[in-house]
Amino acid sequence: GAVVSQHPSWVICKSGTSVKIECRSLDFQATTMFWYRQFPKQSLMLMATSNEGSKATYEQGVEKDKFLINHASLTLSTLTVTSAHPEDSSFYICSLEGKGYEQYFGPGTRLTVT
Amino acid sequence: AQKVTQAQTEISVVEKEDVTLDCVYETRDTTYYLFWYKQPPSGELVFLIRRNSFDEQNEISGRYSWNFQKSTSSFNFTITASQVVDSAVYFCALSGGYNFNKFYFGSGTKLNVKP
């Protein structure tokens, strides 16, 4: 399967600041990547689909101005949480699609907003 | 509407016991995919299996086996002779319809395997 990395693996920031999370495909050219969030002891919820060279597609209820996604190359997608608040604290996970519709997930980024 | 139900929130077994994790799904699509993922304490999801809706054959991979039954909309996962390293949260997921990219995850089952 594909190898996906995320950076940073964890981050603590103050309320009101912005945080950028990177998702890299190390061995696979991904035209499409996905961003999920997972609250403690809960399931994964798809936030948005990131398309290389075009605008991301956001799921209903996800604020696109708050969660900025940029997919500038076939191997890199970034998620920026703008003006973060404590309720944005979560585990953010990216993934990319394999050849058979399976998805390969990154190791996740734990965001804590104080 | 797409929905995945994992009714078992948490299961505890003793090492070497067999354990089955249940997954029931709902979909109106005739073509869909079902998946199982493992999420160990480190957090990274590990892909275990993909099944398409036209393939009801059961699959075995080492100590893992999967039973797909369209008649009951179930895709259950059995671990034989469980090991401590199997301790993790296991997610069942569904994708289908016009957008195979969109995954609907179940709530997960936490498996604790005790030595």
Side-chain angles (χ1 to χ4, degrees), chain B residues 60-90:
Chain B
I60 298 175
S61 176
R63 296 184 296 106
Y64 296 169
S65 63
W66 291 269
N67 184 318
F68 176 27
Q69 292 196 342
K70 289 178 74 171
S71 61
T72 56
S73 297
S74 65
F75 186 42
N76 297 336
F77 173 31
T78 297
I79 301 175
T80 303
S82 60
Q83 300 176 1
V84 173
V85 293
D86 296 327
S87 297
V89 180
Y90 291 85

Side-chain angles (χ1 to χ4, degrees), chain A residues 36-39 43-45 47 67 87-88 90-92:
Chain A
Y36 292 81
R37 67 188 297 180
Q38 183 182 28
F39 290 109
S43 190
L44 284 78
M45 296 297 294
M47 297 175 65
F67 298 100
E87 57 265 31
D88 298 324
S90 187
F91 193 51
Y92 292 87

Side-chain angles (χ1 to χ4, degrees), chain A residues 5-31:
Chain A
S5 72
Q6 281 184 241
H7 178 79
S9 55
W10 60 270
V11 57
I12 301 173
C13 71
K14 293 185 177 180
S15 187
T17 61
S18 296
V19 174
K20 180 185 284 188
I21 302 170
E22 293 184 349
C23 175
R24 291 184 184 274
S25 171
L26 301 182
D27 60 351
F28 193 83
Q29 292 191 325
T31 55

